[in-house]
Amino acid sequence: MDTLETRELRYFTAVAEELHFGRAAERLGIAQPPLSRAIQQLERRLGVRLLERNRRGVSLTGAGEVLLHEGRAALDATAAAARRTRRAGGADSPDGARNRLVLSVKAAAFHELLQKLLDAYAAEPDAAEIEVLPSGTCEQEEMLRDGRADVALMHAPYNSLAGFDSEELATEGQIAILPSGHPLAAHRTLSLADISNVPGLPLARWPRHGTYPPGPGPEVHDQTQLAQLIALGRTMAVFPDSARAWLWAEHTAVPLTDAPPVVTHIAWPPHSRSLAVAGLIRTATRL
């Protein structure tokens, strides 16, 4: 057996992620008995055990771990194919517009570069319509993989460029964004050690792949929430220098002398054959 059905992958992925047949069946909107039979049939067809079942619950075997990883990638690929095909044909646009690209960007990151890119590309003959899709930290990777975006502005070392083609566009330093009334805000420069474990002013925590790193700082979901918490003196954050564009009067930006530089890349799936994507990349590399 060398082929798998998308339905089988969806069923198995749900069980592997939930590690509970009842919750997986509810998530899929089906009854539990046919789900159990489908997984058993998949194991017979593959000739391997994917799940260990006992009175304590369900766990993945080594083979199951492999299929979960590969299955997620395959489901992302099929979703991406459907989304990009619909976009190319204008099926997801009210007016049926064609040649539309979705550009994923981290909210508030390098606004000046983004504006230059959009203006320069709009002046190109046969330029596609660009939909700018703001996203949270590290969400651009998933958006490229599952087809919600065609192109993304990504920032190393925060984003992983593994599995994508990319071109480097700009490099900048990093800043600590502090409440203006805090004593650290009076410094001309700071080091990473200076902002570590500051009593009463923990670093904010952003989600990565759906989970938050451990730490005492508040869990933040978007830029507005972060900006308010900084203004209230409840947290601070580290951002690329270009984030100065969205600072409030209650914020102060202090350069970090030893933080690694942030490199902005434009990235896209390596298998892309879109002429519109190629045109946008050419424009970006000429900026």
Side-chain angles (χ1 to χ4, degrees):
M1 176 203 165
D2 294 324
T3 60
L4 290 168
E5 297 178 3
T6 303
R7 178 184 60 84
E8 292 177 311
L9 289 177
R10 286 195 300 106
Y11 283 11
F12 172 74
T13 299
V15 175
E17 290 179 344
E18 298 290 345
L19 293 179
H20 190 282
F21 276 89
R23 290 195 298 268
E26 184 177 356
R27 168 174 153 181
L28 292 165
I30 63 174
Q32 183 173 333
L35 175 60
S36 298
R37 290 194 296 270
I39 298 300
Q40 291 170 355
Q41 182 181 23
L42 177 60
E43 290 178 317
R44 287 196 297 270
R45 290 177 63 209
L46 287 171
V48 296
R49 182 175 293 277
L50 301 171
L51 301 168
E52 295 289 354
R53 307 163 179 84
N54 54 49
R55 285 179 295 180
R56 291 179 297 176
V58 178
S59 61
L60 289 171
T61 65
E65 293 278 3
V66 171
L67 184 59
L68 177 59
H69 174 76
E70 298 290 346
R72 282 170 170 163
L75 290 172
D76 281 349
T78 57
R83 285 171 173 144
R84 292 190 174 111
T85 299
R86 288 176 60 83
R87 240 180 348 257
D92 60 353
S93 180
D95 58 0
R98 297 177 183 271
N99 294 325
R100 185 170 67 91
L101 293 179
V102 175
L103 172 62
S104 174
V105 300
K106 186 166 71 174
F110 226 137
H111 174 78
E112 183 180 356
L113 175 64
L114 175 61
Q115 191 62 64
K116 285 182 179 179
L117 173 59
L118 295 175
D119 290 345
Y121 181 67
E124 293 289 327
D126 302 320
E129 174 190 353
I130 300 291
E131 177 186 342
V132 176
L133 183 61
S135 62
T137 301
C138 301
E139 289 183 350
Q140 298 97 317
E141 304 158 36
E142 184 178 347
M143 289 178 173
L144 280 183
R145 290 192 178 97
D146 67 15
R148 283 177 289 166
D150 302 294
V151 191
L153 292 184
M154 297 167 69
H155 310 279
Y158 296 111
N159 294 121
S160 171
L161 296 165
F164 302 116
D165 286 343
S166 65
E167 289 284 348
E168 182 177 323
L169 300 183
T171 301
E172 58 183 320
Q174 298 198 66
I175 54 175
I177 303 177
L178 304 155
S180 293
H182 194 276
L184 287 177
H187 291 234
R188 295 184 62 184
T189 61
L190 292 168
S191 68
L192 290 172
D194 292 331
I195 62 171
S196 298
N197 301 317
V198 178
L201 197 68
L203 281 163
R205 292 181 293 139
W206 290 92
R208 183 175 180 83
H209 304 305
T211 61
Y212 286 89
E219 296 180 354
V220 295
H221 309 285
D222 56 50
Q223 177 193 332
T224 301
Q225 181 191 35
L226 174 65
Q228 185 171 34
L229 288 172
I230 295 174
L232 292 171
R234 301 300 177 91
T235 190
M236 62 175 157
V238 174
F239 267 78
D241 189 76
S242 55
R244 294 175 185 271
W246 61 262
L247 297 188
W248 296 4
E250 296 89 346
H251 301 157
T252 295
V254 180
L256 292 168
T257 57
D258 56 350
V262 175
V263 183
T264 298
H265 296 77
I266 188 166
W268 65 97
H271 58 268
S272 175
R273 297 294 181 269
S274 167
L275 294 178
V277 168
L280 182 62
I281 303 305
R282 283 194 301 271
T283 300
T285 56
R286 290 198 299 263
L287 293 177

